Amino acid sequence: MTVSAWTDDRVGRLKTLWIEGRSAAEIARDLDHGLTRSAVLGKVHRLGLSAGRPPAFRSARAAAGPAARRPPPARASPAPRPEPLHRSAMDAPSHGTATILSARRQDCRWPYGDPGDPGFALCGRAVARGAFCAAHAEIGYRPIGQNVEGLMALAGLA
């Protein structure tokens, strides 16, 4: 009879680390005792955890891995330039045009509404800085020295 390396404690730890977004290699190092990345991936697959983990939960290093080393694909026309950041918060649209599933990397991901509501949407305009269009970047990215009064005014409470 063969003794399995997958004890109940290890399986529980695997589930916790996987849901936290850790990579298979990180989990293998954490669980130690000769487990490999492949063994972790196999167990994740057998437990059915791989289908339930959205791409947003991947670790930052895993997300930047192979894509960071690959050259960008050739384009027929030049990529659109981001909008300059001189727009005011008043330029922000009043509703979103993209969904969680339709938003791409170059689409603004400013949320509109509660994620649990059927009408939840993301801005969807072209990204200018980080994950947001120019208008939302102006709101979302504030200088570190911002004081309470300035934040209250921004929120319309002062």
Side-chain angles (χ1 to χ4, degrees):
M1 182 162 153
T2 307
V3 177
S4 173
W6 292 106
T7 63
D8 290 340
D9 292 337
R10 286 178 133 192
V11 171
R13 181 85 176 130
L14 165 70
K15 289 178 181 179
T16 302
L17 294 173
W18 186 255
I19 290 170
E20 286 176 5
R22 301 288 261 328
S23 71
E26 291 171 328
I27 295 170
R29 281 191 299 273
D30 186 86
L31 296 176
D32 200 23
H33 299 293
L35 283 177
T36 63
R37 174 184 170 273
S38 295
V40 170
L41 289 173
K43 191 64 172 179
V44 164
H45 178 72
R46 288 188 300 278
L47 291 171
L49 298 175
S50 57
R53 182 170 159 180
F57 282 104
R58 293 190 338 222
S59 67
R61 187 173 41 202
R69 292 184 291 262
R70 252 185 273 144
R75 296 183 180 220
S77 60
R81 297 190 61 112
E83 298 176 30
L85 293 177
H86 62 278
R87 310 183 102 195
S88 71
M90 302 309 277
D91 292 336
S94 60
H95 64 283
T97 60
T99 67
I100 294 275
L101 298 175
S102 70
R104 296 169 297 166
R105 182 177 298 166
Q106 64 270 21
D107 295 338
C108 177
R109 292 183 292 281
W110 189 268
Y112 284 95
D114 186 329
D117 291 341
F120 178 72
L122 302 175
C123 174
R125 294 193 324 176
V127 166
R129 179 177 173 205
F132 305 124
C133 64
H136 287 128
E138 188 175 316
I139 297 167
Y141 299 119
R142 287 288 171 191
I144 292 174
Q146 184 76 39
N147 60 19
V148 173
E149 292 81 22
L151 292 173
M152 296 296 279
L154 177 68
L157 301 173

